[in-house]
Amino acid sequence: MMSVNNRTIIITSPSTSTKALPAFPVGASPTTGKPVQYRIEERKRTVYVTSDVAPSEWDADSLETIFTLAEGAQSEHTEDNDDDPPIRRARSLVDTQITIVEDDSPNPGQDSSRDASLSPRSSPNRLRRPANKSPGLQTTKSSGAIPNSSRRSPIETRRKILFYHKTDPYYGFTNFSDHPVMYKGKRYPTSEHLFQSFKFHGHRPNLAEHIRTCSERPSVAFSEARRFQPEVRPDWKQLNVPMMEEALWHKFTQHADLQAELLGTGDAELIEDSDKDAFWGVGVDRRGRNELGKALERLRTKLREC
């Protein structure tokens, strides 16, 4: 590897199927006295990928997917920066040397709002510092295929489970589902009743009891709690997530069917697909905090540890 005019050049011995360019007078071999054939490859850019799969286990299709995703990320970048010329990846017509190295230094310009494992970013002006490489980290492909069909893909996305609507699966994950909850010897028609009553426990016990008994319908409990918003405990914004976790714990530990359904989701991402709530759900723009989904994932982990 060498640097020429701010360009990084990788020099490798070619495969037997590659035709050499005409002889170029760069010097003779110190051992044989004859010209040595090299392939000179100009590195245009570096693509960053986060994966828990060792590079030696990657297959050709996975690498092609990485480059395709990187092209999409680069296209997004150029759309936001009209002054920058578009960058396109041309397919090589000769054998391609693929060098994979570990990178433990920060990646400048990486969009922190995106998951690096799902959207690799390209950095055309960044050089990566090679770490100690094992034999499996450097591969040469001649025909676009890397032997060993058992190799895994480094691009692994989590399964997503959306819940919200009563007619859709996993409605039991919502606080409006018809699953009564017992709390301190009292019955709450739904976990929504319990959660809304937490806003008044301690300092306004009469209002807390009113929320519990006002109706069997969770929407009424929600509306009543909103009607008495001025009476909500002043530290509620600091406690609302822990109180949600408390309500969910009692609900899912008291209903074996719900607990089994939650544990059956594996490691899937749980998403409250609400277009009305950008805090507990994803909101109308689908960029909300999804705090209910996150609380359910934490509950799932807790139940497995018990």
Side-chain angles (χ1 to χ4, degrees), residues 207-224:
L207 279 179
E209 186 67 9
H210 170 70
I211 297 299
R212 184 180 76 86
T213 61
C214 62
S215 171
E216 290 287 304
R217 296 168 56 191
S219 58
V220 175
F222 174 84
S223 298
E224 286 297 285

Side-chain angles (χ1 to χ4, degrees), residues 19-220:
K19 293 183 178 180
L21 293 173
F24 188 75
V26 294
S29 167
T31 56
T32 65
K34 298 179 180 180
V36 179
Q37 179 180 322
Y38 294 100
R39 181 179 68 204
I40 300 178
E41 183 176 311
E42 180 180 7
R43 174 175 288 181
K44 295 287 187 181
R45 64 178 181 170
T46 299
V47 175
Y48 296 84
V49 177
T50 300
S51 174
D52 59 358
V53 180
S56 59
E57 299 181 29
W58 297 4
D59 54 29
D61 291 339
S62 299
L63 293 171
E64 191 64 32
T65 301
I66 290 172
F67 286 123
T68 300
L69 288 173
E71 285 176 352
Q74 186 64 48
S75 297
E76 292 177 5
H77 173 74
T78 55
E79 288 175 2
D80 295 336
N81 299 274
D82 295 336
D83 296 335
D84 294 340
I87 298 176
R88 294 291 183 267
R89 173 175 170 260
R91 292 184 178 275
S92 175
L93 299 180
V94 298
D95 300 340
T96 303
Q97 175 76 22
I98 300 173
T99 303
I100 304 171
V101 296
E102 295 179 4
D103 181 53
D104 55 5
S105 57
N107 180 4
Q110 179 170 318
D111 186 351
S112 60
S113 67
R114 296 177 180 265
D115 186 346
S117 66
L118 302 181
S119 179
R121 310 299 294 176
S122 60
S123 177
N125 300 320
R126 168 72 189 276
L127 301 182
R128 297 171 69 183
R129 180 176 62 81
N132 294 330
K133 295 180 287 184
S134 66
L137 291 180
Q138 183 164 321
T139 317
T140 301
K141 67 173 184 178
S142 299
S143 60
I146 300 177
N148 188 356
S149 60
S150 64
R151 288 178 177 172
R152 297 183 293 161
S153 169
I155 307 298
E156 296 180 358
T157 59
R158 289 178 68 193
R159 183 167 63 104
K160 298 180 185 294
I161 291 179
L162 280 60
F163 61 92
Y164 181 65
H165 299 286
K166 192 171 186 178
T167 56
D168 292 340
Y170 301 103
Y171 183 69
F173 290 2
T174 71
N175 280 333
F176 276 39
S177 70
D178 186 18
H179 291 88
V181 178
M182 294 297 298
Y183 181 76
K184 294 186 176 181
K186 294 183 178 182
R187 177 189 177 274
Y188 292 77
T190 68
S191 57
E192 182 70 15
H193 286 76
L194 178 57
F195 174 72
Q196 294 298 338
S197 72
F198 281 152
K199 296 179 178 180
F200 310 100
H201 276 199
H203 71 299
R204 294 300 302 271
N206 291 338
L207 279 179
E209 186 67 9
H210 170 70
I211 297 299
R212 184 180 76 86
T213 61
C214 62
S215 171
E216 290 287 304
R217 296 168 56 191
S219 58
V220 175

Side-chain angles (χ1 to χ4, degrees), residues 159-166 168-179 190-192 244 247-249 251-252 255-266 268-273 280 290-297 299-300 303-304:
R159 183 167 63 104
K160 298 180 185 294
I161 291 179
L162 280 60
F163 61 92
Y164 181 65
H165 299 286
K166 192 171 186 178
D168 292 340
Y170 301 103
Y171 183 69
F173 290 2
T174 71
N175 280 333
F176 276 39
S177 70
D178 186 18
H179 291 88
T190 68
S191 57
E192 182 70 15
M244 177 64 78
L248 292 175
W249 170 260
K251 175 180 179 177
F252 280 80
H255 296 276
D257 57 333
L258 285 180
Q259 185 173 154
E261 189 174 27
L262 179 61
L263 294 175
T265 59
E269 182 180 3
L270 305 180
I271 301 172
E272 187 188 47
D273 193 27
W280 297 110
N290 187 39
E291 290 295 336
L292 178 57
K294 294 174 183 176
L296 285 166
E297 291 183 31
L299 174 62
R300 181 176 62 191
L303 290 172
R304 284 177 180 155

